[in-house]
Amino acid sequence: MSAAPAPPRLARALLRLAVPDDAGAAVEGDLHELFVAHRAESGAAAAALWYWVETLSFAMRFTLDRAARAVRGLVVGDAAPSSLDLKLGARLLAKSPGLAIVGGLGMAVAIALGAGAYAFVNTYFYPELPLAEGDRVVAIGKFDKRLRWKDKRLLHDFLVWRRELRTVVDLGASRTVQRNIGTAVGEGPAEPITLAEMTASGFRLARVPAFRGRTLAEDDERPGAPPVIVIGYDVWRSRYADDPSVIGREVRIGRDVHTVVGVMPPGFAFPINHQYWIPLRAASRAAAPGAGPELHVFGRLARGATREAAQEELSALGRRLAAEGPPALATLEPRVIPYVDVVVNGEVDGSSAAMAVLRFLIALLLVVVALNVAVLVYARTVTRTGEIAVRTALGASRARIVAQLFAEAFVLSALSAAVGLGMVAVALDMMDQFIDEVSGGRAPFWIDPGLSLGTVLYALGLAVLSAVIIGALPALRATGAQLRAAIGSLGSGAKARLGKTWTVLIVAQVAIAVAVLPAAIRQAGQMVRAAYREPGFASGEYLSTQFVVQRDADAVTDARADSAAADSLLAIADALLARLATEPGVVGATVTSGSPWEGGGSPVEADGVDRPPQRVGSLDVDTGYFGLFDVRTIAGRRFTAADAALPAGDRPVIVNRSFVTEVLDGGEPIGRRVRYRGEDGAVNPWHVVVGVVEDFPVGLPQPGETSSARMFHLAVPGELGGGLLTIRLRAGIPEAFTPTLRRIATSVDPMLQLSPPRSLYAVYRDNARTGVRVALVIALITGSVLLLSAAGIHALMSFTVNDRRREIGIRSALGAPPRRILASVLTRATRQLALGVGIGLAAAVAVDQASGGVLLEGAGVLLIPGTAALMLAVGLLAAAGPARRGLRVQPTESLRTE
Amino acid sequence: MTHHGLGEFEQLVLLAIAHLRGEAYGIPIVEEIERRTGRSVARAAVYVTLRRLEDKGLVSSWMSDPTPERGGKGRRYVRLEAEGARALREARHATERMWQGLDPASLRAR
């Protein structure tokens, strides 16, 4: 006869976890009885399914019941926590600083991640527009079927919308242009600024009056009206030193002279982040559909109109316009979107689902950490079962005791929340700086990256949640069935057990640490190493600046057509380089597509080499690049003027030493044909290799790159319309050359714009510093995982040793050697450690392989076993203290306490 | 003396226990309610309710010896306590008083 049929093991385990001890056995027995009957009646599979459904139903109802009881315990009058409880909690924390530091730090990191994500999402994805009735301000754009922002050449549509839309008022448009300011003689060197060409309605929509003078008026938009400009408060202070007589002053912007007519109040930067406004002469240009400048269209919902109503009216209008316009644009749909959505890459509503998932994951992380800390606290709470039993006997209600333990936990979690909020504040500040760096200080005016009240409240909520998990839940358990047993055995030493939950937690924790640590150590280590490595060449001699030649062929304000076509860009770049060459103190100058460290990465294959395409960084350089950086040529030649005369597609390429070993398998490079291979397998034209240079700069590959291989293309300065201009100087601080450089640039062309010049050394250091920050965050998170694992193992061992004092005492009284006793005490911890490390190892290898080796970059052979050994060592160290305490147990003493 | 306002489901469970006399535990309680009311009952809800009723002192319980056909677990038998019986009577009286003198016409659908 076969063994008696048993319900699914996993379901039973879940049932045991979910149903409280006092009801557990009866529920399990009843379900077992019914399961046997079901099985006999409808077969094994149906019975198992039935058992699972029942288990889930029980798990859900009992979990809800527990939560309800916990809440009731807190709300019921006398049970509410008092300030005395908080004081007691603080004192208890001071008594166990280890628990406070380990648990507190772990929770602080988790709360920081949760609150940080909340702050980030709300600051950057769901900000509020700080304008009067800002939620009624909308943007109008054209989107394709996948809700991607398409075709911003809206002049034609804008004019129709402005004339006909009834649900949206104060309809306006703007566009952002770059111009040099103050290029006239006597106004100092030209400085690039960002202007808004905006219709006067923009000021009306914002409902912000001018601080001095007036805002733009409809009259300023007339063709032939005198050019005027409104400036921002910050500009007024910095450029005009608070001069009250600024109104009426003239300022040269690009090629035109504008009269200052107004100063806007502090904080005003509509439409995005602007400090200069000139009129947009929309009506003066008749544009065909889909032609004209790219515009940003905005308006305010009319009184009583909803966004849905506006959308309906706009759609109807859109259908009519689509019929008139070119068929290519007919598939695009005009949409009314909340104004703050304009900068989120034009994605409408698409990000909310992803954000919800992110929030969920972060909440999950918090729950995991809090559960962890809960187990730590639980280990301590059960040791206090005796105290709790005495208090219960003296008349304290269960709710009162739960409330007290909740208050104690809240002291810890509130401290963690404070530390976590500090971390968030630092992170937001870093984020702000980072965004300023990458966007050139142009974050939208509604982005306020400071700690908001909402974020603080959110963190407080997380602290309460954590306190419920770490205080109330263990307290409920400790005051449940175990308490009854403890009261029954008062005076004979209360006992409590740490069950399977604990084992699962420790194993999971160790596994996660082993799985995550190798990659974290590798990536963090690389970033730190990169940060402290010297760039390997005299980067302090080089000054670099991003330059752009603005073409305003489509400018609305410029009535005359701009003659600067592609040829003139070449001429401008040429003239600039020629002027720089004659400057004393300048060794030379070069124009590239990026800094020497930038690489990008596209798969490249070589003719006659039988291996899959390798990822290679590429850079566009001019003929002077290698000479200017003293890069040694190993084979073949450098680029020549004759190469530059060829059409861009036919020009040869130069590769570096790593390219030869990695892509060409060490084969003969000169004359070899190489080409890019698209991600989709698309084939590109061949390029011939004419030279090989030494790997430059040292410090390749950069963190996150797998290869140091580089391929250099020849580009003629000016071909790209801009690029990175790098100048090598003979002596002194490179930045000191800036005024001279600006003067030269202005003299070459007033439309030539330079980003703030910086020495290559500073560029290098900034890259490195970002790496160190990221490494710090990684270290903090992995460190707290490691710490929590160690603390968990430590608590487990302390517990085991306490539990077995009597047994250890008897065994040593009977003469058992200490080593045997130690081994038997350590067995459980070792087993859990080994299991965790095993699972973690497998996961680490799997993760590395899934990443295609990018995560560990081949260092896994050393790092993975190393991490495993480290985890074992940390675990055994954490276990050693309590185990030694166990060995010191005096037989007489332990027996006396019984 | 404490006053227990019983919920409808609590009344059903208490009445089932009373009907079953000494033979009340989880399975027969569920069956009794389903048989008499003709509606299906979430089993877990009955157990959660039993636990709550015991906390309130309306019922008491004891475990029987474990048996192999129950996977080595015993049955938790439930007995109606005096307080529970009183709560049931009170609930019945309250309902009856509400029905007293009610004009049947006022229940007719309009």
Side-chain angles (χ1 to χ4, degrees):
Chain A
M1 191 184 146
S2 65
R9 191 187 297 239
L10 198 59
R12 268 188 300 161
L14 177 63
L15 198 63
R16 263 177 231 153
L17 209 64
V19 180
D21 292 344
D22 57 332
V27 168
E28 217 185 316
D30 284 2
L31 288 187
H32 192 106
E33 200 179 319
L34 292 166
F35 171 80
V36 173
H38 264 283
R39 200 184 140 100
E41 200 174 293
S42 38
L49 182 67
W50 170 86
Y51 195 90
W52 265 110
V53 171
E54 285 293 330
T55 299
L56 292 176
S57 159
F58 270 90
M60 195 184 73
R61 293 212 181 236
F62 272 98
T63 306
L64 284 176
D65 185 50
R66 279 182 186 197
R69 282 163 184 259
V71 170
R72 214 165 19 219
L74 287 177
V75 174
V76 172
D78 72 314
S82 66
S83 63
L84 190 65
D85 290 334
L86 297 177
K87 264 186 224 161
L88 192 65
R91 227 172 280 157
L92 274 170
L93 278 188
K95 258 175 75 180
S96 45
L99 175 77
I101 293 171
V102 170
L105 195 67
M107 245 187 322
V109 170
I111 290 178
L113 286 172
Y118 176 88
F120 179 80
V121 167
N122 282 300
T123 305
Y124 295 100
F125 291 91
Y126 304 107
E128 279 177 21
L129 196 66
L131 292 177
E133 291 184 73
D135 55 331
R136 298 190 61 79
V137 178
V138 294
I140 301 179
K142 280 177 140 182
F143 296 83
D144 66 6
K145 294 280 179 258
R146 287 173 59 196
L147 295 184
R148 278 176 309 192
W149 199 302
K150 284 276 154 123
D151 189 54
K152 295 182 183 171
R153 285 170 298 174
L154 295 172
L155 188 57
H156 177 262
D157 296 57
F158 166 66
L159 294 173
V160 177
W161 292 339
R162 184 160 74 171
R163 201 170 53 232
E164 305 206 5
L165 278 183
R166 291 290 162 266
T167 49
V168 183
V169 295
D170 291 340
L171 205 70
S174 74
R175 65 175 206 135
T176 298
V177 291
Q178 312 279 332
R179 291 283 184 275
N180 282 331
I181 187 171
T183 49
V185 183
E187 284 186 37
E191 194 189 314
I193 56 163
T194 306
L195 293 100
E197 273 183 20
M198 185 165 84
T199 55
S201 53
F203 290 96
R204 224 172 32 236
L205 171 131
R207 297 186 185 164
V208 178
F211 175 69
R212 282 187 196 282
R214 62 170 176 92
T215 58
L216 297 178
E218 255 84 26
D219 259 1
D220 299 322
E221 294 171 18
R222 264 187 306 111
V228 293
I229 186 167
V230 173
I231 60 172
Y233 185 81
D234 294 346
V235 171
W236 179 58
R237 298 210 64 170
S238 59
R239 202 174 170 87
Y240 296 97
D242 297 3
D243 181 2
S245 64
V246 66
I247 308 297
R249 290 258 298 258
E250 294 194 331
V251 57
R252 178 178 282 275
I253 305 285
R255 297 200 174 96
D256 299 319
V257 175
H258 293 249
T259 309
V260 177
V261 294
V263 179
M264 292 309 287
F268 184 83
F270 191 83
I272 309 275
N273 43 34
H274 297 86
Q275 284 290 298
Y276 296 93
W277 297 267
I278 56 177
L280 177 78
R281 291 173 179 169
S284 66
R285 277 172 76 105
E294 293 201 341
L295 289 182
H296 170 63
V297 177
F298 43 78
R300 189 181 274 280
L301 292 175
R303 195 167 298 279
T306 61
R307 191 145 67 82
E308 288 69 32
Q311 180 62 53
E312 215 166 285
E313 191 189 6
L314 184 69
S315 294
L317 201 52
R319 278 190 291 276
R320 210 190 74 205
L321 285 171
E324 296 166 6
L329 297 176
T331 57
L332 298 182
E333 214 181 315
R335 281 178 173 274
V336 182
I337 60 171
Y339 187 78
V340 291
D341 283 357
V342 289
V343 286
V344 192
N345 252 342
E347 295 280 346
V348 188
D349 299 333
S351 53
S352 20
M355 280 303 136
V357 171
L358 185 69
R359 277 182 178 169
F360 172 74
L361 285 179
I362 286 166
L364 200 68
L365 178 79
L366 183 77
V367 169
V368 168
V369 173
L371 271 178
N372 237 306
V373 181
V375 179
L376 289 182
V377 177
Y378 178 57
R380 203 185 51 163
T381 307
V382 287
T383 59
R384 289 168 63 190
T385 314
E387 174 207 327
I388 294 171
V390 171
R391 297 190 51 185
T392 309
L394 289 177
S397 69
R398 188 180 183 197
R400 181 70 195 82
I401 290 173
V402 171
Q404 186 206 329
L405 292 174
F406 169 80
E408 285 177 28
F410 186 67
V411 172
L412 179 63
S413 68
L415 276 177
S416 302
V419 175
L421 275 177
M423 293 181 187
V424 172
V426 172
L428 284 177
D429 192 45
M430 273 161 55
M431 188 72 202
D432 192 34
Q433 279 179 21
F434 175 73
I435 286 185
D436 276 1
E437 272 166 32
V438 297
S439 66
R442 294 200 304 265
F445 71 95
W446 58 87
I447 299 283
D448 174 15
L451 273 190
S452 68
L453 181 67
T455 307
V456 174
L457 287 179
Y458 187 76
L460 198 67
L462 292 182
V464 171
L465 174 70
S466 310
V468 166
I469 299 178
I470 69 177
L473 289 187
L476 279 174
R477 266 190 87 85
T479 53
Q482 285 172 351
L483 184 61
R484 280 170 222 171
I487 295 175
S489 62
L490 256 184
S492 64
K495 288 245 170 65
R497 311 227 151 261
L498 286 177
K500 283 187 181 146
T501 326
W502 180 269
T503 308
V504 170
L505 260 170
I506 297 236
V507 170
Q509 204 140 254
V510 172
I512 290 171
V514 172
V516 171
L517 274 178
I521 293 174
R522 174 71 183 167
Q523 294 297 324
Q526 276 229 339
M527 287 171 191
V528 172
R529 217 173 36 192
Y532 291 104
R533 195 167 34 198
E534 287 305 310
F537 66 100
S539 57
E541 293 177 12
Y542 297 83
L543 186 70
S544 76
T545 172
Q546 206 75 37
F547 80 96
V548 184
V549 185
Q550 182 89 25
R551 297 168 53 188
D552 58 356
D554 57 356
V556 187
T557 41
D558 256 340
R560 67 194 130 123
D562 200 315
S563 60
D567 282 347
S568 83
L569 292 181
L570 290 173
I572 290 168
D574 228 25
L576 181 65
L577 288 174
R579 280 281 281 110
L580 279 170
T582 61
E583 195 67 24
V586 171
V587 178
T590 180
V591 174
T592 54
S593 57
S595 82
W597 297 281
E598 280 168 43
S602 314
V604 170
E605 65 182 352
D607 194 12
V609 178
D610 186 27
R611 58 187 303 177
Q614 303 286 303
R615 242 167 216 297
V616 167
S618 65
L619 197 66
D620 291 333
V621 301
D622 60 12
T623 50
Y625 178 76
F626 298 112
L628 195 71
F629 284 102
D630 299 327
V631 183
R632 200 161 67 85
T633 307
I634 304 172
R637 60 174 178 82
R638 291 179 177 167
F639 291 128
T640 62
D643 296 329
L646 295 168
D650 296 345
R651 290 175 196 159
V653 294
I654 289 177
V655 298
N656 68 355
R657 183 192 285 275
S658 292
F659 187 99
V660 177
T661 49
E662 288 175 26
V663 183
L664 305 181
D665 257 347
E668 172 58 38
I670 306 302
R672 176 89 65 176
R673 296 195 308 163
V674 293
R675 67 178 171 190
Y676 290 104
R677 192 81 196 218
E679 303 284 356
D680 50 356
V683 171
N684 292 291
W686 291 106
H687 301 278
V688 178
V689 177
V690 293
V692 181
V693 294
E694 192 54 78
D695 281 2
F696 167 83
V698 294
L700 293 177
Q702 291 285 94
E705 274 188 333
T706 49
S707 161
S708 312
R710 287 283 185 275
M711 184 151 100
F712 300 95
H713 295 267
L714 179 60
V716 176
E719 259 178 359
L720 307 167
L724 188 75
L725 171 69
T726 305
I727 304 159
R728 186 172 185 177
L729 298 157
R730 270 183 231 292
I733 306 163
E735 276 87 349
F737 186 68
T738 303
T740 319
L741 180 59
R742 288 223 181 276
R743 191 170 37 76
I744 294 171
T746 312
S747 72
V748 169
D749 192 299
M751 301 300 272
L752 182 62
Q753 292 169 7
L754 307 179
S755 71
R758 304 169 65 208
S759 82
L760 275 188
Y761 186 76
V763 172
Y764 180 77
R765 276 279 158 261
D766 271 6
N767 283 348
R769 213 169 299 142
T770 309
V772 172
R773 285 172 189 162
V774 176
L776 195 72
V777 172
I778 296 177
L780 207 60
I781 294 173
T782 47
S784 55
V785 170
L786 200 65
L787 210 60
L788 277 172
S789 319
I793 294 164
H794 179 90
L796 169 78
M797 282 309 298
S798 305
F799 208 77
T800 315
V801 169
N802 270 341
D803 215 27
R804 294 171 60 180
R805 277 175 85 86
R806 187 180 144 88
E807 177 210 327
I808 294 170
I810 293 175
R811 286 179 66 180
S812 50
L814 291 176
R819 207 173 348 126
R820 293 248 327 254
I821 298 179
L822 190 65
S824 84
V825 170
L826 282 176
T827 311
R828 186 170 167 198
T830 316
R831 227 180 270 151
Q832 291 175 349
L833 269 175
L835 186 58
V837 166
I839 297 173
L841 277 178
V845 172
V847 167
D848 186 42
Q849 279 181 351
S851 79
V854 175
L855 270 182
L856 295 180
E857 294 149 12
V861 188
L862 274 176
L863 269 177
I864 295 180
T867 314
L870 175 77
M871 249 350 263
L872 275 174
V874 167
L876 287 177
L877 263 178
R884 277 196 21 233
R885 225 181 309 138
L887 281 186
R888 284 203 300 269
V889 170
Q890 292 298 320
T892 45
E893 188 190 311
S894 71
L895 292 176
R896 202 182 314 130
T897 57
E898 288 299 307
Chain B
M1 186 188 107
T2 45
H3 177 81
H4 300 286
L6 288 178
E8 192 219 355
F9 197 67
E10 286 178 327
Q11 286 189 44
L12 293 184
V13 173
L14 283 175
L15 285 168
I17 296 169
H19 276 295
L20 290 164
R21 296 175 179 272
E23 288 302 309
Y25 69 98
I27 299 175
I29 293 173
V30 172
E31 287 170 354
E32 188 72 15
I33 298 174
E34 291 189 336
R35 192 172 62 80
R36 285 179 179 269
T37 62
R39 67 189 201 201
S40 83
V41 170
R43 188 173 298 279
V46 172
Y47 289 76
V48 169
T49 306
L50 279 174
R51 201 160 162 254
R52 189 164 60 233
L53 292 173
E54 190 167 6
D55 285 350
K56 289 181 179 176
L58 304 185
V59 301
S60 60
S61 70
W62 72 96
M63 291 296 287
S64 73
D65 290 335
T67 57
E69 62 269 23
R70 288 176 53 86
K73 310 285 178 189
R75 289 174 177 165
R76 181 179 286 276
Y77 282 102
V78 198
R79 179 176 53 213
L80 194 64
E81 287 295 318
E83 189 79 357
R86 185 162 52 231
L88 269 180
R89 273 195 299 273
E90 267 176 26
R92 181 180 183 169
H93 287 151
T95 316
E96 279 172 354
R97 278 193 296 276
M98 289 306 290
W99 278 101
Q100 253 167 29
L102 188 72
D103 178 7
S106 58
L107 287 180
R108 227 169 273 141
R110 284 143 213 257

